[in-house]
């Protein structure tokens, strides 16, 4: 992730004179578009971003004269340089990625909540799983083991360490390996790793294959943790204030709708993931509030400092809307 952030710093200089990749004149605070403004949104194809797809389907972005193209990413570590370089106008990324970017002085700012933990142990959309016959019983047993996460030095290993600490284990002696979420069910089933951190729909997939969940890492990390946010560059916020305002209005309406219509959120998953209708009915949905839990984001920043992901204390109020 640090390599991606460093490369993004160089790309950031390109943003001093121009806004993000949406190029129509209608994106500015004073302009009025003749047609829908096309924007690219970077997002990882997991259950967390169901409101984005649902909002597009329900016309909430069209109401704001915005046409959304969703571009798949592997996680927040890829979304950050994508936004900084101008590849994406907006992106969905976990708070750890945003905090690291902020600590590297990248000009990014969250504009809306992305998703949150349910706050219920054993009933969250995120969890640490092990093969069905594994001797590992609790997160404390992960000491000295190999754990798969989607991005290294990111929200996965940070929250897995929180679970290990809470269970009384030593988080400093764990080997984390990077693996894409879709590849994790097979890796766990074939015992190529001792454990994996997965989110829905892959949490349900691994459990259907017999894997056991030993901890809800997001729940262990912070109460009702804000996991991710939608973000953009400070430059876009200044130069395209009206577009940012309208995008925020649309995504917040989408979050509220998804929270109030879980059946429709499950149904839209079938349009951008390979999950079966049966699995979609069983999986655990995240919470989709419209307000960021600022205290939980600060908790994550403090935890990252303790783990060495960042070198100085971060005041997350500078990063959040």
């Amino acid at each position: 992730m640090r390599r991606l952030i460093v490369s993004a710093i160089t790309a950031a200089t390109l943003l001093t004179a121009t806004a993000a990749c949406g190029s129509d004149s209608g994106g500015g605070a004073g302009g009025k578009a003749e047609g829908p403004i096309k924007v690219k949104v970077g997002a990882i194809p997991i259950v967390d971003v169901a409101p984005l797809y649902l909002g597009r389907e329900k016309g909430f972005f069209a109401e704001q004269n915005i046409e959304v193209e969703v571009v798949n990413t592997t996680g927040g570590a890829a979304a950050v340089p994508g936004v900084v370089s101008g590849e994406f106008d907006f992106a969905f990324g976990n708070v750890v990625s945003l905090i690291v970017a902020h600590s590297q002085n990248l000009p990014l700012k969250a504009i809306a909540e992305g998703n949150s933990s349910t706050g219920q142990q054993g009933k969250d959309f995120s969890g640490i799983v092990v093969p069905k016959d594994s001797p590992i019983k609790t997160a404390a047993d992960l000491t000295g083991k190999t754990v798969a996460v989607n991005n290294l030095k990111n929200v996965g290993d940070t929250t897995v360490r929180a679970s290990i600490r809470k269970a009384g284990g030593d988080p400093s002696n764990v080997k984390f390996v990077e693996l894409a979420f879709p590849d994790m069910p097979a890796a766990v089933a074939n015992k190529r790793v001792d454990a994996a951190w997965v989110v829905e729909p892959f949490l349900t997939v691994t459990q259907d294959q017999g894997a056991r969940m030993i901890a809800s890492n997001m729940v262990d990390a912070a109460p009702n943790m804000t996991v991710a946010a939608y973000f953009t560059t400070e430059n876009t916020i200044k130069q395209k204030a009206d577009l940012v305002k309208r995008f925020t209005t649309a995504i917040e309406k989408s979050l509220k709708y998804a929270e109030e219509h879980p059946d429709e959120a499950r149904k839209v998953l079938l349009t951008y993931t390979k999950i079966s209708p049966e699995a979609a009915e069983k999986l655990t949905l995240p919470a989709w509030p419209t307000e960021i839990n600022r205290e939980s984001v600060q908790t994550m920043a403090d935890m990252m400092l303790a783990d060495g992901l960042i070198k100085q204390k971060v005041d997350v109020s500078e990063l959040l809307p």
Side-chain angles (χ1 to χ4, degrees):
M1 176 174 180
R2 293 188 184 279
R3 185 170 65 253
L4 288 169
I5 294 298
V6 169
S7 64
I9 293 175
T10 302
T13 60
L14 299 174
L15 297 175
T16 56
T18 60
C21 58
S23 59
D24 358 23
S25 60
K32 190 169 184 179
E34 296 179 358
I37 298 172
K38 297 180 180 180
V39 301
K40 289 185 178 180
V41 182
I44 185 170
I46 52 178
V47 67
D48 308 42
V49 297
L52 176 63
Y53 286 88
L54 189 56
R56 187 174 67 174
E57 183 179 279
K58 304 302 291 188
F60 300 153
F61 290 95
E63 290 173 0
Q64 298 298 324
N65 202 36
I66 295 173
E67 181 181 327
V68 169
E69 177 187 349
V70 183
V71 182
N72 286 344
T73 69
T74 58
V80 165
V83 170
V84 172
S85 68
E87 179 183 358
F88 310 136
D89 296 279
F90 305 96
F92 173 96
N94 65 72
V95 296
V96 171
S97 293
L98 295 181
I99 293 167
V100 170
H102 183 73
S103 73
Q104 298 285 341
N105 296 316
L106 290 181
L108 299 177
K109 195 173 182 69
I111 57 172
E113 160 81 22
N115 72 303
S116 293
S117 162
T118 65
Q120 300 180 57
Q121 190 66 236
K123 297 181 180 179
D124 199 21
F125 76 101
S126 163
I128 306 168
V129 297
V130 298
K132 59 182 178 182
D133 56 353
S134 170
I136 297 171
K137 303 301 181 185
T138 72
D141 299 328
L142 294 175
T143 300
K145 305 298 184 183
T146 299
V147 182
V149 293
N150 70 317
N151 289 151
L152 295 174
K153 296 182 179 181
N154 212 278
V155 68
D157 41 19
T158 300
T159 53
V160 169
R161 287 191 185 96
S163 288
I164 295 172
R165 285 193 192 96
K166 187 174 182 180
D170 179 8
S172 67
N173 188 25
V174 177
K175 180 182 179 182
F176 290 100
V177 296
E178 190 167 283
L179 199 62
F181 281 129
D183 298 328
M184 290 189 186
V188 173
N190 296 327
K191 300 181 181 179
R192 295 201 300 271
V193 294
D194 297 308
W197 165 58
V198 287
V199 296
E200 296 287 19
F202 305 104
L203 179 57
T204 292
V205 172
T206 57
Q207 290 177 306
D208 283 348
Q209 293 178 351
R212 290 183 291 107
M213 183 167 65
I214 61 169
S216 298
N217 51 313
M218 300 295 188
V219 180
D220 291 336
N224 301 311
M225 172 185 166
T226 289
V227 177
Y230 289 91
F231 65 97
T232 189
T233 64
E234 294 176 358
N235 189 65
T236 296
I237 291 172
K238 292 176 182 177
Q239 295 196 14
K240 296 191 174 185
D242 183 60
L243 173 62
V244 172
K245 180 180 179 180
R246 288 186 283 114
F247 181 89
T248 302
T249 296
I251 195 61
E252 288 182 347
K253 185 172 182 178
S254 302
L255 291 164
K256 185 174 187 295
Y257 190 88
E259 183 75 11
E260 295 175 351
H261 300 83
D263 289 345
E264 291 189 50
R266 293 178 190 278
K267 185 177 179 181
V268 81
L269 285 172
L270 306 180
T271 67
Y272 69 93
T273 73
K274 295 180 180 179
I275 191 171
S276 69
E278 294 75 21
E281 287 299 316
K282 294 193 302 180
L283 60 76
T284 301
L285 297 175
W288 287 303
T290 56
E291 296 290 331
I292 292 174
N293 182 341
R294 306 174 79 87
E295 183 178 351
S296 76
V297 180
Q298 187 64 60
T299 296
M300 289 302 298
D302 295 343
M303 195 179 301
M304 291 165 62
L305 180 62
D307 286 340
L309 266 70
I310 53 178
K311 296 180 179 180
Q312 294 182 326
K313 185 176 177 63
V314 168
D315 180 359
V316 299
S317 64
E318 300 172 357
L319 176 65
L320 303 179

